[in-house]
Amino acid sequence: MSGLRGVYEQPSPWQRLRPVFSGFDGPLALAMLLLAALGLVTMYSAGFDHGTRFVDHGRNMLLALALLFAVAQVPPQKLQRLALPLYLLGMLLLLATAIPGLGITRKGATRWLDLGIVIQPSEILKIAAPLVLAWWFQKREGALRTLDFLVAATLLALPVALVAKQPDLGTALLILFGGLYVIFFAGLSWRLVLPVLLLAALAITALVLAGPSICADGVRWPVLREYQQHRVCTLLDPTRDPLGRGFHILQGMIAIGSGGVTGKGFMSGTQTHLEFIPERTTDFIFAAFCEEFGLAGAALLMLGFLFLIVRGLMIAAEAPTVFARLLAAATTMSLFTYAFVNMGMVSGILPVVGVPLPFISYGGTAMVSLGLAIGILMSVARSRRLMPS
């Protein structure tokens, strides 16, 4: 009888689900849950009177969570096989945006593609570019030469140039940084990195010192488009046009400063709810957060991001292959770039660009990309934990 009972015994629901959860990284999941909770609280306050933003934000989080679980089940070896096809697909779709009838132009930029559903191919390259570069360096493991770095730079420059031409400088820079992180972690010499950093520091210093003259009325810059020039000049002196181009930065800074140490309280932000903060549920949601939760809340939020980034880099350091290590490190640093750029532009230390704050800002595409990124980190963590000892 015991033998028959064993034959017909069915596994419990937990036994069936256990393989899905096994190997998940607890600290990474904890950091994600903390930031997601802060995002829901903030979105309820900033968006409860803004249509269905809060409900949609919660739905987007659930979609991102489902994608996270799906990607986490895929071993890095399979992700590696998808790298080149995904990169080529993304490049073809980018080129297709220039085809009349397929490319969609909004506000002077042709960034979208109509394939029955509207997609933005540049979002694919945010993931595909680091993927293909990690794949390339995995192929060249143990035999890296200068030529290999030049090939990697070419693979990165192509999508960056196409996206910048749309024009979408913000997304082009995000793709650029995502790829540069892979190249750097692959072993790029500091002798090449330091001169670039020094030149960048000198250029920024010269820009600040020459700001009043190069931003004078009638002066046009040869490289940047007019709206890009205005963004830089507004950053250097937002008071030049306080009710126009400088309005976003000034109102964000006022909201952040008015929050003080402890903030005005949940749902009590005057700048936010009197609609002085533009895009309060998307690009400038950090200003709304700081107004209501103050310096203490901002410190908690930054600690959450710091925890997430440190844990992601630890996962990268323990990755079993070059591909997994480079992909996890680049993905982690890309999350850092998103958070730093968003907080920097709202605080007035970086130009205003359309970069969302991970977990906090409203946006379906951004949330899906976030779920994919955390799923990749979970996949790398699981590949290490599930390896036979």
Side-chain angles (χ1 to χ4, degrees), residues 76-77 80 134 138 315-317 319-330 376-377 379-380 383:
Q77 295 84 352
Q80 184 176 334
Q138 174 70 58
I315 290 172
T321 66
V322 170
F323 173 82
R325 174 171 60 85
L326 295 178
L327 183 59
I376 288 173
L377 290 177
S379 171
V380 174
S383 70

Side-chain angles (χ1 to χ4, degrees), residues 155-309:
L155 288 171
L156 177 60
L158 290 174
V160 169
L162 288 175
V163 174
K165 191 177 182 300
Q166 290 182 338
D168 188 356
L169 185 59
T171 301
L173 288 175
L174 291 174
I175 295 172
L176 175 64
F177 279 111
L180 288 178
Y181 290 136
V182 177
I183 295 174
F184 173 75
F185 286 115
L188 187 65
S189 173
W190 277 103
R191 289 179 298 178
L192 298 175
V193 175
L194 287 177
V196 174
L197 294 178
L198 180 60
L199 286 174
L202 291 174
I204 292 172
T205 302
L207 182 65
V208 172
L209 294 177
S213 57
I214 63 177
C215 291
D217 294 338
V219 177
R220 289 290 175 264
W221 298 359
V223 178
L224 299 182
R225 295 173 181 264
E226 184 177 356
Y227 79 92
Q228 294 167 343
Q229 175 185 340
H230 288 320
R231 285 183 178 180
V232 176
C233 290
T234 300
L235 171 68
L236 296 175
D237 184 12
T239 60
R240 292 179 74 247
D241 189 8
L243 298 179
R245 299 185 184 97
F247 185 79
H248 288 60
I249 293 179
L250 290 175
Q251 293 302 320
M253 294 170 66
I254 290 171
I256 292 172
S258 66
V261 176
T262 59
K264 295 179 179 177
F266 178 58
M267 297 183 68
S268 300
T270 52
Q271 293 290 116
T272 301
H273 297 296
L274 293 177
E275 299 190 3
F276 283 101
I277 300 177
E279 308 296 339
R280 68 180 192 265
T281 61
T282 53
D283 294 347
F284 276 74
I285 197 168
F286 181 64
F289 179 88
C290 290
E291 184 185 23
E292 297 195 350
F293 302 105
L295 179 63
L300 177 63
L301 181 63
M302 291 181 197
L303 284 174
F305 279 118
L306 180 62
F307 184 26
L308 178 72
I309 291 160

